[in-house]
Amino acid sequence: MSGFRLKCFGLLLLLVLLVCSSLDGCEARKGKRWRRKSPSSSLARKKTRGKSGGGGHNHGGGGGSGGHTSPPPSSNQSPCPVTGSPTATFDVLDFGAKGDGVTDDTKAFEDAWAAACKVEGSTVVVPAEFEFLVGPISFSGPYCQPNIVFQLDGMIIAPTDAKVWSVGLLWWIEFTKLRGITIRGSGTIEGRGSVWWTNTDSDVDPINDELSLRAPQMKPTALRFYGSYNVTVTGITIQNSPQCHLKFDNCEAAQVFNVTIASPGSSPNTDGIHLQNSRDVMIHHTNMSCGDDCVSIQTGCSNVNIHSVDCGPGHGISIGGLGRDNTKACVSNITVRDVNMHNTMTGVRIKTWQGGSGSAQSIRFSNIRVTEVQTPIVIDQFYCDKSSCKNQTSAVALSGIGYEYIKGTYTVKPVHFACSDTSPCSDISLTGVELKPLQEQYHMYQPFCWQTFGELYTPTIPPIVCLQNGKPAGNRILSDRDVC
């Protein structure tokens, strides 16, 4: 009996050894396909690149300096499934990028992305201490694998040759139709936008004395996400964009944190973050200085949470302009809290065009600290960005808007509520609002209200006596055009 048990034990041990050997073979063959990049490899390449005699980079996944590769599996081995590991990296230097700030590295970025696109959880590496000149580029799905990381530690700079920019091009760097895309790192996206800011119809100054054609009048956004789900942007700096710095269009579940956005306060139309037709968005612990809205929330946005951000200079945080060109706008469930604003044109603002329809509702501004802000609280349903606009009766309906603990100093007017005659603002509430003029001796405007209904839950500084208590009389019946 004991002999039988020994035989069974021996057979079981042999079976375990065979299974382990098979698994090791599979892992070895999977590990061969992707280069495991050591942290110092990019720096080492930079130091030795000039001595290499212009040798090409290895575009495959298995080549590496100083190491050896395992032999290919023999044909009689059973095939093992190939899956990407979290360490699958694709360094743009391996695809021919020079990173000298002069050579066009666009093709290398496209090739690195094409390789990473095939591997779930892969990482495109833009290494530190390099400057990569990259033209307009789209990192596109929808057939890419999910959860790709774009590790940006170096600097990406925009070209200044107008011939590179097609007329009507709306973006410089675009990520489109992706599931689970993360841009992270300590690097910088440098838009070199000053030529766009100063360019006018009568001003055809060359860029760096090399530009023979004028830049198109349509200015591109520096970084745009379109039609993507589960988007994260963290750690990076975006600066000096020709127009908007960071845009989300038709995206869901996006978050931005620990990001710096910077351009001069005099740079025109350089919004920090622009949201359109996007929902479930969170922006926090981010510093923004620009020449337009720090955050602009447009039609189609809902469930947006902004907190712990610093804004200024700029135009503040704005919802709108909504309803332009008689369009329907729908915005709901917006929260802006724990924000510092300094030297901005407005603080928290809602702006709509005459002639629009739809609604903006369930909006909360809380714990906003303002310093030297021209007008901290604004609702403007007569918004117009040109010399004159046609008077129209219809308007985007505004309701359910709360202002809580907005405190600090202003330089022009504390509150400006200009609502539509045919669609007055309703359910406007104010709690703990304390706004003081920067210097008492200067002439300041008093709070202004027009067709604004709601409630003061606490006394305000200064007193906002123009707010009408309750609800507007004879609320109009909403048509299908108005309902969101």
Side-chain angles (χ1 to χ4, degrees), residues 231 233 248 253-257 273 275 279-284 286 303-307 309 337:
V231 180
V233 181
F248 295 90
Q255 60 174 332
V256 178
F257 61 96
I273 301 175
L275 307 178
R279 65 181 187 269
D280 301 329
V281 178
M282 181 173 288
I283 301 168
H284 61 94
T286 290
N303 301 331
V304 177
N305 192 327
I306 301 168
H307 70 88
V309 304
R337 61 179 175 86

Side-chain angles (χ1 to χ4, degrees), residues 466-482:
C466 58
L467 181 71
Q468 301 183 62
N469 194 44
K471 296 183 179 296
N475 276 351
R476 64 189 179 91
I477 300 174
L478 297 179
S479 66
D480 291 341
R481 185 170 179 263
D482 298 312

Side-chain angles (χ1 to χ4, degrees), residues 191-410:
R192 303 165 88 182
S194 59
V195 64
W196 302 83
W197 308 331
T198 58
N199 190 24
T200 65
D201 287 338
S202 59
D203 184 6
V204 197
D205 291 339
I207 308 170
N208 297 331
D209 297 324
E210 296 177 358
L211 184 59
S212 59
L213 297 174
R214 187 173 55 189
Q217 292 300 307
M218 183 68 71
K219 303 172 184 177
T221 289
L223 177 60
R224 178 192 187 224
F225 292 87
Y226 174 78
S228 296
Y229 172 79
N230 194 14
V231 180
T232 299
V233 181
T234 181
I236 68 170
T237 295
I238 310 171
Q239 62 190 30
N240 299 322
S241 175
Q243 196 176 50
C244 177
H245 288 77
L246 175 59
K247 180 180 289 187
F248 295 90
D249 192 355
N250 279 285
C251 291
E252 182 179 355
Q255 60 174 332
V256 178
F257 61 96
N258 295 336
V259 167
T260 298
I261 292 174
S263 64
S266 59
S267 56
N269 304 121
T270 53
D271 292 50
I273 301 175
H274 182 98
L275 307 178
Q276 183 169 328
N277 295 316
S278 295
R279 65 181 187 269
D280 301 329
V281 178
M282 181 173 288
I283 301 168
H284 61 94
H285 296 93
T286 290
N287 297 324
M288 290 170 277
S289 58
C290 55
D292 210 302
D293 297 326
C294 289
V295 181
S296 170
I297 302 170
Q298 299 295 327
T299 185
C301 291
S302 62
N303 301 331
V304 177
N305 192 327
I306 301 168
H307 70 88
S308 307
V309 304
D310 191 88
C311 168
H315 292 184
I317 294 178
S318 295
I319 298 174
L322 304 177
R324 182 170 189 164
D325 298 327
N326 295 45
T327 57
K328 180 177 180 178
C330 296
V331 173
S332 63
N333 298 327
I334 311 295
T335 298
V336 179
R337 61 179 175 86
D338 305 326
V339 174
N340 290 319
M341 297 190 181
H342 47 91
N343 301 106
T344 57
M345 186 178 77
T346 62
V348 289
R349 173 170 59 161
I350 301 173
K351 50 185 180 179
T352 71
W353 294 78
Q354 295 183 73
S357 62
S359 69
Q361 58 187 340
S362 301
I363 299 166
R364 175 175 169 248
F365 302 108
S366 178
N367 195 25
I368 312 294
R369 181 71 186 179
V370 296
T371 305
E372 299 184 43
V373 171
Q374 292 181 31
T375 309
I377 299 175
V378 175
I379 293 178
D380 182 7
Q381 292 209 269
F382 302 90
Y383 178 70
C384 178
D385 64 356
K386 45 193 175 183
S387 58
S388 64
C389 292
K390 178 183 176 181
N391 286 328
Q392 300 184 66
T393 56
S394 63
V396 178
L398 304 181
S399 64
I401 304 167
Y403 300 91
E404 306 169 356
Y405 306 104
I406 301 178
K407 302 180 179 183
T409 59
Y410 66 92

Side-chain angles (χ1 to χ4, degrees), residues 4-131:
F4 178 78
R5 289 178 179 174
L6 286 173
K7 287 182 180 180
C8 289
F9 179 78
L11 288 172
L12 182 61
L13 181 60
L14 179 60
L15 181 61
V16 169
L17 289 173
L18 287 173
V19 170
C20 289
S21 175
S22 175
L23 288 173
D24 289 344
C26 287
E27 291 303 314
R29 277 174 279 155
K30 285 191 287 186
K32 171 188 175 293
R33 290 179 178 266
W34 317 117
R35 178 175 63 87
R36 296 181 181 268
K37 175 178 172 290
S38 66
S40 61
S41 62
S42 293
L43 183 58
R45 270 195 304 273
K46 182 180 179 184
K47 291 179 178 178
T48 61
R49 185 160 51 94
K51 302 176 183 179
S52 64
H57 294 281
N58 185 352
H59 291 205
S65 61
H68 67 275
T69 57
S70 58
S74 60
S75 58
N76 60 355
Q77 289 178 298
S78 60
C80 298
V82 177
T83 58
S85 73
T87 56
T89 61
F90 300 88
D91 192 319
V92 294
L93 294 176
D94 290 339
F95 290 82
K98 302 301 181 185
D100 56 12
V102 178
T103 306
D104 186 353
D105 289 326
T106 309
K107 181 64 163 56
F109 274 66
E110 290 173 342
D111 292 345
W113 175 261
C117 175
K118 302 173 184 176
V119 185
E120 181 176 353
S122 61
T123 299
V124 175
V125 175
V126 182
E129 302 186 29
F130 291 86
E131 291 186 4

